[in-house]
Amino acid sequence: MQLVATVLIDGASSKDLQFDYAVPAEWAGKAKPGMRVRIPLRNRQAIGTITAVREEADHPERPAGRGGKRTFALKPIAGVLDEAPLLTAPLLKLAEWISGYYLASRDSTLKAMIPQPVRSEEKGEKTRKNVRLVYEPDLETLESLKKRAPKQAELVEFLISRPGQQGLLADLTGLSGFGRPSITALEKAGMVVVEDEVVTRDPFADEVFVQSAPMALNPEQERSRARIVAAAAEAETERPPRPILLFGVTGSGKTEVYLQAIQRVVDEGRGAIVLVPEISLTPQTADQFKKRFAAMQDQVAILHSHLSAGERHDEWRKVLRREARIVIGARSAIFAPVENLGLIVVDEEHENTYKQESPPRYQARDVAVVRGHLEKCAVVLGSATPSLESWKNALTGKYERLDLTQRVDDRELPLIRVIDMRLETRKNRGLAILSSKLRESIESRLADRQQVILFLNRRGFARSLICPECGLVMECRHCSLALTYHREEDKLICHLCGYAQVTPRKCPECGGRAISLAGFGTEKVEAVLNEVFKGARIARIDTDTMRRKNDLKLTLNAFKAGKTDILIGTQMIAKGLHFPNVTLVGILNADIGLHIPDFRASERTFQLLTQVAGRAGRGELKGEVVVQTFTPHAPAVQFARHHDYTGFAEQEIQLRERLEFPPFRHLAMITSRSVHRERAEFSLQTLHRRMKRHLPDGLTITEPLPSPLIRSHDQWRFQFSMRGANAKRLTGHIGGVLGPLSFPEDVIVTVDMDAHNLS
Ligand code: ADP
Ligand code: ZN
């Protein structure tokens, strides 16, 4: 018998390469699926991942060419790189599902599942040199050493005085000022050893977490907790439980429910994964977990995009070594190799950040549901404004729904006032940034020493530079997008590709000198507030002011400590923040986003308004929200004003059903991109014809058109979409047509299944 491993080659460019290799006897039982191996490929060495191992009878004398069977001896694996599989068996199955469902190569799928620092061949562990005294000289020897080599003697005495009689090489030669030659001499004399010490990089190393005690739950929270715990227990039986949609208004204490359910799961020896939209945007959530599980801090791993490569490597390895059983992280944490998984929580499940916008274009919330099924564990999706996809699944009974209808301690939801900015603009004879109502409300909060959050979904100073004479709007040279004026840099900047240029003083098209700024962004709002509210302490949070790793945390901490009165920000402040002293939230322009050509525009606006409004009145004091809008009667605005998610969902669901959009159909967006406009367009048209030719029943296809954002990063973009109620049929058809096709080298065709971004 011969052991045969199927190996998926790393880094194959467009199509997956998978080959069989012989497993040499010495590695039998050591080469397992999910491990990486070195293999010969043509005339070079390559790296790959074992996807399966099987036993095969060996027939060395098998005749050539019969029945498509192998006719030559298999090449053997050259080396096994891992001591243990990087992917568990359910994760390997999950990889299969992802590459099938999202039409992604397996190579890109494995790349998404295993972080790069873990994949890279070198060990990745960070080591430091440590100097340890191994022979403590008696007084006599020390005296003679003092005469012979005073520096060495000094070092020996220093080491003797230190805990463990050792010190880091870098510290000794650095701060303490010992020379490297002295150390080497002592090493030769056998008095000290210089050894490598593995250091684990802990992203939270310099923070102290004080253990937080579980809170007494209110009856709704308790019912939800008990149900989740029961589902996790059921999961161990034959039939896995249904995913749970935890629908809880903002401030209803969802996090506390997760914390206590997880505690129980972990007490029973199982693991848990918690997904949050983006840790750097929700630092308070990660802290809550670190605090609650402070006593078992090593068992909590945090995985997110702002970790250094080394930190990510270490956190992930901690999970793989089964030291960490609770994983908190953004999207890709859904792939953490936690074994014996009991519970997966997806917090703020409606968030767009769960969708990855590069291959494999997976939606982590949906992947969580599939993983839950494969691992037979409980899955909880939590939100105050569930995605309509999840809402519909709850309506049809595919998901179980649990409700938290009350804020904790019976705090009231804030009063929401809608201000019609059309009237304000008329009153002002021009664009108003602050309505008189909002201005008065801010004044009264400042007088009462309460805090204010102002939200605006656009950074920069002015939205764009416009010439009133010829109508020119300054656009990016690489994208079809208006440039935004940033005052601090005095530049026009593209928010898509980052391109920046100096601000022209006259119109580059017609030479007109009346060229002027239109619209406003956070930078302008800050300037205006500083003028209007003299003496108020104002801070701004957007990607321009939050460049360094800890900026966000510092600004938020200062606000929490009451050192700031008004906080202005973009969506970076929309989520998950909890400041009890905030009694006023102003939303400066609720319309942004309503007018984009996207069937989810209304849903997104409703979610954003509700989430931002939810930042008000989270303490003892009642909250107020002022929403400024040019479309006060839009359903998204009106339902948000009445805190009526159910009403909003009901009418939006009807609309989607009538228009045959998600969640009633799956939608795949097919896009071609190229620096050559004609080639992008031509390739897409060809593809469109083929897709249309034998269109299976139940599938629909739109006409090929320029993308709403026709140019981005110098690439021209064209697109069409396909819809179908049956996902398998949809991907089956698309994959079947695309498979044998090839496009010119400079044309990129992408398929985005269950697309979120339609532009
Ligand atoms: P949500 O995520 O539902 O918006 P949070 O989880 O942020 O709400 O909870 C809001 C606040 O209420 C938090 O400060 C939390 O610590 C607190 N809280 C949660 N549950 C309770 C409870 N049972 N009793 C008192 N306070 C609670
Ligand atoms: Zn650009």
Side-chain angles (χ1 to χ4, degrees):
M1 292 298 261
Q2 158 81 72
L3 267 188
V4 176
T6 308
V7 176
L8 179 72
I9 313 294
D10 250 29
S13 54
S14 57
K15 300 237 158 82
D16 283 330
L17 290 179
Q18 191 158 273
F19 299 111
D20 284 348
Y21 288 88
V23 180
E26 55 188 301
W27 286 320
K30 277 189 201 149
K32 296 181 193 145
M35 284 182 178
R36 287 160 323 133
V37 285
R38 206 166 321 119
I39 59 259
L41 182 70
R42 296 190 194 103
N43 43 18
R44 63 182 174 102
Q45 287 242 323
I47 292 186
T49 307
I50 302 181
T51 56
V53 177
R54 62 176 191 280
E55 258 183 303
E56 216 176 63
D58 38 3
H59 303 285
E61 71 286 23
R62 191 160 50 199
R66 212 166 342 115
K69 284 270 167 138
R70 229 178 20 250
T71 56
F72 46 88
L74 284 178
K75 288 186 189 161
I77 285 172
V80 181
L81 299 176
D82 302 309
E83 272 153 37
L86 297 182
L87 295 171
T88 58
L91 281 173
L92 281 167
K93 275 198 202 133
L94 192 63
E96 283 290 300
W97 180 84
I98 288 174
S99 53
Y101 187 89
Y102 295 102
L103 290 169
S105 71
R106 290 183 194 188
D107 186 54
S108 71
T109 305
L110 290 191
K111 278 212 172 88
M113 295 178 90
I114 307 169
Q116 179 51 34
V118 177
R119 299 165 60 87
S120 67
E121 203 184 343
E122 83 257 36
K123 266 171 74 194
E125 269 159 355
K126 190 176 153 196
T127 56
R128 317 187 273 198
K129 294 246 181 278
N130 188 51
V131 181
R132 190 160 54 88
L133 192 69
V134 285
Y135 170 77
E136 195 181 326
D138 52 32
L139 272 180
E140 210 173 310
T141 323
L142 196 58
E143 282 309 312
S144 82
L145 186 64
K146 263 186 191 158
K147 283 188 202 113
R148 202 161 30 88
K151 288 239 177 73
Q152 292 177 32
E154 208 184 312
L155 177 56
V156 170
E157 284 184 318
F158 180 80
L159 286 175
I160 291 175
S161 74
R162 305 247 327 155
Q165 304 202 331
Q166 57 185 331
L168 290 176
L169 179 66
D171 294 346
L172 295 175
T173 54
L175 269 182
S176 313
F178 295 103
R180 181 72 227 233
S182 317
I183 297 172
T184 311
L186 286 174
E187 197 182 2
K188 279 203 183 120
M191 283 212 235
V192 303
V193 291
V194 181
E195 56 205 352
D196 281 332
E197 182 193 60
V198 175
V199 273
T200 303
R201 287 143 297 197
D202 178 355
F204 292 86
D206 45 2
E207 290 175 59
V208 181
F209 292 94
V210 181
Q211 169 113 39
S212 69
M215 295 181 191
L217 300 180
N218 65 34
E220 280 185 339
Q221 283 178 311
E222 173 51 31
R223 208 174 316 130
S224 300
R225 188 203 62 88
R227 183 59 206 125
I228 294 168
V229 167
E234 260 170 45
E236 288 182 307
T237 64
E238 271 308 286
R239 263 171 51 102
R242 289 181 292 164
I244 292 169
L245 177 63
L246 181 61
F247 172 47
V249 298
T250 56
S252 57
K254 293 184 284 292
T255 312
E256 189 61 32
V257 173
Y258 306 148
L259 285 167
Q260 298 197 17
I262 290 169
Q263 180 76 63
R264 177 64 175 273
V265 165
V266 172
D267 285 346
E268 283 168 1
R270 306 177 70 193
I273 295 178
V274 182
L275 297 188
V276 291
E278 172 51 86
I279 290 209
S280 58
L281 296 187
T282 50
Q284 289 187 333
T285 311
D287 281 2
Q288 269 174 301
F289 280 86
K290 276 281 185 184
K291 276 183 189 149
R292 180 61 52 85
F293 300 108
M296 39 186 285
Q297 209 176 128
D298 291 345
Q299 298 188 35
V300 182
I302 308 249
L303 297 167
H304 63 86
S305 57
H306 286 234
L307 295 181
S308 68
E311 286 170 343
R312 186 190 308 255
H313 173 274
D314 294 350
E315 292 291 286
W316 208 84
R317 286 274 173 192
K318 233 161 77 178
V319 180
L320 200 62
R321 288 196 303 263
R322 302 189 200 182
E323 287 166 20
R325 281 183 302 153
I326 303 173
V327 174
I328 303 156
R331 185 172 63 224
S332 63
I334 191 56
F335 302 126
V338 179
E339 275 185 276
N340 194 8
L341 199 52
L343 176 61
I344 303 174
V345 173
V346 183
D347 191 24
E348 310 287 5
E349 65 89 29
H350 62 278
E351 281 291 337
N352 274 324
T353 51
Y354 287 126
K355 173 77 172 168
Q356 171 147 307
E357 297 292 352
S358 58
R361 298 171 189 271
Y362 67 94
Q363 155 58 275
R365 173 193 67 221
D366 298 339
V367 172
V369 169
V370 175
R371 182 165 182 192
H373 193 81
L374 290 171
E375 306 244 11
K376 291 191 175 172
C377 78
V379 177
V380 176
L381 314 178
S383 177
T385 52
S387 63
L388 289 176
E389 281 79 1
S390 298
W391 189 252
K392 182 190 161 231
N393 282 333
L395 288 178
T396 60
K398 202 172 151 197
Y399 294 174
E400 176 179 349
R401 198 176 108 196
L402 301 175
D403 291 357
L404 298 176
T405 58
Q406 303 296 317
R407 280 190 154 186
V408 294
D409 293 343
D410 294 321
R411 273 165 212 153
E412 285 173 63
L413 284 166
L415 178 71
I416 300 185
R417 287 178 210 281
V418 175
I419 309 293
D420 186 344
M421 290 307 278
R422 294 171 303 186
L423 302 178
E424 291 287 323
T425 307
R426 231 170 287 154
K427 234 173 29 192
N428 251 284
R429 304 232 165 92
L431 183 64
I433 293 182
L434 295 180
S435 57
S436 22
K437 170 70 193 121
L438 182 54
R439 191 174 164 156
E440 282 157 24
S441 294
I442 297 176
E443 265 157 15
S444 85
R445 300 309 135 123
L446 290 175
D448 293 345
R449 303 233 133 256
Q450 293 168 12
Q451 289 175 298
V452 179
I453 288 181
L454 296 181
F455 174 83
L456 174 62
N457 216 353
R458 181 182 287 126
R459 64 198 168 91
F461 190 81
R463 183 170 41 115
S464 46
L465 195 65
I466 290 176
C467 173
E469 277 158 47
C470 73
L472 174 88
V473 178
M474 290 290 292
E475 271 197 3
C476 175
R477 179 180 295 195
H478 311 281
C479 313
S480 54
L481 193 73
L483 292 166
T484 304
Y485 178 64
H486 288 242
R487 191 170 68 168
E488 211 160 293
E489 293 104 322
D490 189 22
K491 281 209 171 112
L492 293 170
I493 297 176
C494 173
H495 283 183
L496 200 60
C497 73
Y499 166 77
Q501 70 169 66
V502 292
T503 316
R505 302 296 159 202
K506 55 182 188 191
C507 176
E509 197 68 29
C510 74
R513 300 208 162 258
I515 191 162
S516 60
L517 301 170
F520 56 88
T522 45
E523 196 184 355
K524 169 91 174 250
V525 174
E526 184 181 20
V528 167
L529 290 174
N530 273 319
E531 244 164 65
V532 178
F533 305 107
K534 293 231 156 56
R537 296 162 303 172
I538 299 169
R540 168 161 68 99
I541 290 187
D542 55 32
T543 44
D544 296 320
T545 58
M546 301 291 125
R547 293 235 167 97
R548 269 163 308 150
K549 199 175 161 189
N550 275 327
D551 284 347
L552 181 65
K553 220 168 196 167
L554 293 176
T555 309
L556 290 179
N557 285 346
F559 189 62
K560 183 148 208 174
K563 290 179 189 149
T564 317
D565 303 308
I566 305 176
L567 188 64
I568 309 159
T570 55
Q571 51 268 54
M572 291 180 87
I573 60 167
K575 299 161 201 164
L577 298 177
H578 180 74
F579 300 111
N581 199 34
V582 170
T583 55
L584 173 66
V585 166
I587 299 173
L588 296 186
N589 190 347
D591 310 276
I592 300 181
L594 258 188
H595 307 299
I596 49 171
D598 186 327
F599 68 90
R600 285 195 184 89
S602 185
E603 179 182 1
R604 288 199 183 126
T605 302
F606 177 86
Q607 284 163 346
L608 192 66
L609 292 181
T610 305
Q611 296 291 342
V612 177
R615 300 310 116 214
R618 294 172 72 96
E620 310 274 293
L621 304 162
K622 183 155 173 54
E624 181 189 7
V625 178
V626 175
V627 176
Q628 302 188 159
T629 172
F630 285 93
T631 49
H633 302 294
V637 174
Q638 284 302 325
F639 281 112
R641 176 183 171 198
H642 293 108
H643 304 288
D644 186 5
Y645 173 83
T646 318
F648 174 77
E650 195 176 323
Q651 79 132 45
E652 186 67 18
I653 281 251
Q654 277 177 15
L655 196 68
R656 301 275 186 90
E657 181 158 29
R658 213 169 56 236
L659 297 176
E660 305 192 344
F661 268 113
F664 293 90
R665 298 288 184 280
H666 289 277
L667 184 150
M669 181 61 81
I670 296 154
T671 308
S672 70
R673 294 181 277 146
S674 174
V675 289
H676 304 290
R677 182 177 177 144
E678 328 71 55
R679 287 203 220 174
E681 190 167 14
F682 182 76
S683 298
L684 193 78
Q685 281 166 348
T686 311
L687 181 58
H688 184 263
R689 269 198 307 280
R690 304 256 176 128
M691 286 289 178
K692 221 171 151 176
R693 200 174 291 156
H694 302 288
L695 198 66
D697 278 350
L699 298 193
T700 56
I701 183 167
T702 64
E703 287 306 303
L705 287 172
S707 304
L709 186 68
I710 186 175
R711 194 156 169 250
S712 162
H713 297 76
D714 283 325
Q715 303 244 334
W716 295 91
R717 300 145 45 92
F718 293 83
Q719 66 185 32
F720 63 86
S721 65
M722 299 185 69
R723 276 176 277 165
N726 184 315
K728 267 218 176 94
R729 191 175 297 174
L730 182 58
T731 46
H733 180 63
I734 296 173
V737 173
L738 263 180
L741 282 184
S742 59
F743 297 96
E745 218 166 75
D746 51 6
V747 175
I748 299 167
V749 171
T750 57
V751 179
D752 189 358
M753 179 63 172
D754 295 341
H756 278 228
N757 184 353
L758 305 185
S759 61

